[in-house]
Amino acid sequence: MPGGAAPMAGPVDVSRVEAPVTLKAYMMCVFAAFGGIFFGYDSGYISGVMGMKYFIEMMEGADATVLPAWKKSLITSVLSAGTFFGALIAGDLADWLGRRITVILGCMVFIVGVILQTASAGLGLIVAGRLVAGFGVGFVSAIIILYMSEIAPRKVRGAIVSGYQFCICIGLLLASAVDYGTQERTDSGSYRIPIGLQMAWALILASGLFLLPESPRFFVRKGALDKAAVTLARLRDQPLDSHYVRDELAEIVANHEVEMSVIPHGNYFQMWANCFRGSLFDGSSYLRRTILGTSMQMMQQWTGCNFVFYFGTTFFQQLNVISNPFLISLITTLVNVCSTPISFYTMEKLGRRPLLIWGALGMMLCEFIVAIIGTCLPGNDTATKVMIAFICIYIFFFATTWGPGAWVVIGEVFPLPIRAKGVALSTASNWLWNCIIAVITPYMVDTDKGNLGPKVFYIWGGLTSCCFIYAYLLVPETKGLTLEQVDQMLNETNPRNSAKWVPHSTYAAAVEQKVEKEIGHVEKTDGSDGSMV
């Protein structure tokens, strides 16, 4: 392969395919999770801003008390529309420019969008700014997961990617806190301060990524094995000639060569078409993996999480018994933040699959309880407090299971040849459904439209029951495996038996045996030819 000599043949000992985790290596991977902060902040600040008196009067006039449903829908959903297309574009850029550069570029685009929003004094510019910022968020949200999954050690990969969800929660909390602090201002600072503060998170992430290495798997994909070895040594905090570095690189290269040998090579459109190759009934096919990734992100949105984070403030206002809906929204966000770190431990201890199954069940029960109480006892002060308590419990289940779990799984199930595009499609699916929910929700719950109020939780509960069935039937267990071992596991077992699968060989060893067999066959043929002369 170009870019340097091929690495040494890989080990048969599957425990030696990766170096032990060091603090330096861990911290390098953890910083990438910071990208979740401005993703979460950007998603969270808009709920409070749309409930601010100054912002409403600026948009609607001095006597207005609420934004109309179509404006709330437009302002909220346009960000998701931008992120959908940004995520798809990022899949190409990550393969052409690299994972790290794509994220940095996304930060720059995001900053442009924030500047437009901060300068806005009406609907047009804030919508345009959120659309542009959405492209930047799409770049970052798609590729930061890919980058973290590719550089993180297997033993802590789930915890590190869960850290991304934790940073999203931190961003949501910061947004709620800033909204709470500026809501009473009677000037444009009430909304411009929460909006403008976003630039700080993008600048921190972009500056830090300039100092971090590129993904070694990107260099392997490009055939630059020398650069891949140097980067891998830095990420694992090992000397360049370490057997851990040689063995892990050998396994990455061998897996890539095996995957590249079974997919067609062609033009730009063929590369995207590869994501949909194979049979729907083959659990290891690229089509099934793409469906798994995209449907996983769809299901995460079906849980109704963003209803609380996008429209929580205005929803609590409509209950008419809560004196400070901004404070309740801040509390729900705080529950989200405090619960997510639990997943750092459980994601690696219990695994992805059981968390997603039981998390869906817990959310479903809480949502139906909220819906039943809200239907039977509308306007009752005690009942409303119980509803808020169960909404907080529901958020706890989401924050410890589906919140981080969906991101972890999509970063693990795609093979290297289609990984960037597969993760991009999955993230685009998240934002597509995010956009759909943002568009339709105001029309379902606003008093001048559907006026469902708490009854909307019947819908979220019904959709979450689908998530429960989906997780049981289709989600594999990937904890403790390298990305190459995940690929091997998907080829050899099904989701319901995946937790029992144990690594038993390496791609590098298999390639070595194949080469030796071919050499032996050639030597035998040459010997036969010589005896005939």
Side-chain angles (χ1 to χ4, degrees), residues 100-357:
R100 188 174 61 99
I101 298 300
T102 301
V103 175
I104 293 172
L105 183 61
C107 292
M108 300 301 103
V109 174
F110 177 77
I111 288 173
V112 173
V114 172
I115 292 172
L116 292 175
Q117 292 176 72
T118 307
S120 67
L123 182 64
L125 199 54
I126 198 167
V127 167
R130 281 181 64 79
L131 180 64
V132 173
F135 275 89
V137 174
F139 282 21
V140 175
S141 60
I143 305 308
I144 204 72
I145 290 294
L146 171 66
Y147 179 68
M148 285 191 296
S149 297
E150 290 192 339
I151 69 174
R154 62 185 169 121
K155 293 181 180 178
V156 294
R157 187 177 62 244
I160 287 174
V161 178
S162 296
Y164 174 74
Q165 177 66 22
F166 178 62
C167 286
I168 292 176
C169 299
I170 292 289
L172 288 166
L173 178 62
L174 289 172
S176 294
V178 174
D179 285 345
Y180 185 71
T182 65
Q183 60 170 314
E184 300 296 339
R185 290 180 67 110
T186 57
D187 57 18
S188 63
S190 60
Y191 72 92
R192 282 180 171 151
I193 291 173
I195 292 174
L197 193 59
Q198 298 173 97
M199 285 186 280
W201 320 133
L203 288 170
I204 292 171
L205 178 63
S207 301
L209 283 175
F210 270 114
L211 304 176
L212 291 180
E214 181 55 82
S215 165
R217 288 173 170 88
F218 168 72
F219 286 130
V220 167
R221 194 178 187 281
K222 290 294 187 181
L225 301 190
D226 290 341
K227 291 181 179 179
V230 172
T231 301
L232 192 59
R234 185 180 170 194
L235 285 169
R236 298 295 179 256
D237 196 19
Q238 296 286 324
L240 187 59
D241 59 353
S242 165
H243 68 84
Y244 285 114
V245 173
R246 295 198 309 269
D247 291 348
E248 184 175 357
L249 184 57
E251 181 68 357
I252 294 171
V253 171
N255 172 254
H256 181 58
E257 290 178 344
V258 168
E259 292 293 340
M260 291 300 289
S261 69
V262 297
I263 64 172
H265 305 281
N267 57 26
Y268 170 81
F269 297 103
Q270 180 64 59
M271 298 304 292
W272 276 102
N274 286 336
C275 294
F276 304 96
R277 290 188 70 252
S279 169
L280 180 63
F281 302 101
D282 178 3
S284 65
S285 70
Y286 288 4
L287 173 61
R288 274 286 292 271
R289 298 188 200 203
T290 300
I291 291 174
L292 175 62
T294 53
S295 58
M296 174 68 71
Q297 291 295 315
M298 176 186 73
M299 293 286 176
Q300 189 201 55
Q301 291 301 308
W302 280 14
T303 62
C305 58
N306 279 329
F307 168 73
V308 177
F309 299 134
Y310 281 171
F311 301 103
T313 302
T314 52
F315 171 72
F316 294 133
Q317 285 174 336
Q318 290 167 4
L319 294 178
N320 295 323
V321 293
I322 297 176
S323 59
N324 194 337
F326 282 88
L327 181 60
I328 300 301
S329 184
L330 181 60
I331 290 171
T332 59
T333 307
L334 188 61
V335 171
N336 193 26
V337 172
C338 294
S339 303
T340 302
I342 296 173
S343 68
F344 297 176
Y345 175 77
T346 56
M347 198 64 65
E348 299 298 349
K349 184 66 176 178
L350 302 179
R352 289 66 157 149
R353 180 177 163 83
L355 283 182
L356 293 172
I357 292 173

Side-chain angles (χ1 to χ4, degrees), residues 7-58:
M8 292 178 59
V12 176
D13 183 0
V14 295
S15 66
R16 275 184 46 181
V17 294
E18 191 173 88
V21 182
T22 66
L23 180 61
K24 176 184 175 183
Y26 184 79
M27 294 308 297
M28 290 175 68
C29 299
V30 163
F31 178 80
F34 187 85
I37 286 186
F38 81 79
F39 172 14
Y41 187 96
D42 193 62
S43 299
Y45 86 85
I46 197 63
S47 173
V49 165
M50 290 191 301
M52 290 179 181
K53 185 174 185 294
Y54 182 90
F55 186 79
I56 293 171
E57 290 179 351
M58 181 187 74

Side-chain angles (χ1 to χ4, degrees), residues 57-69:
E57 290 179 351
M58 181 187 74
M59 290 288 181
E60 295 299 305
D63 297 328
T65 58
V66 66
L67 288 177

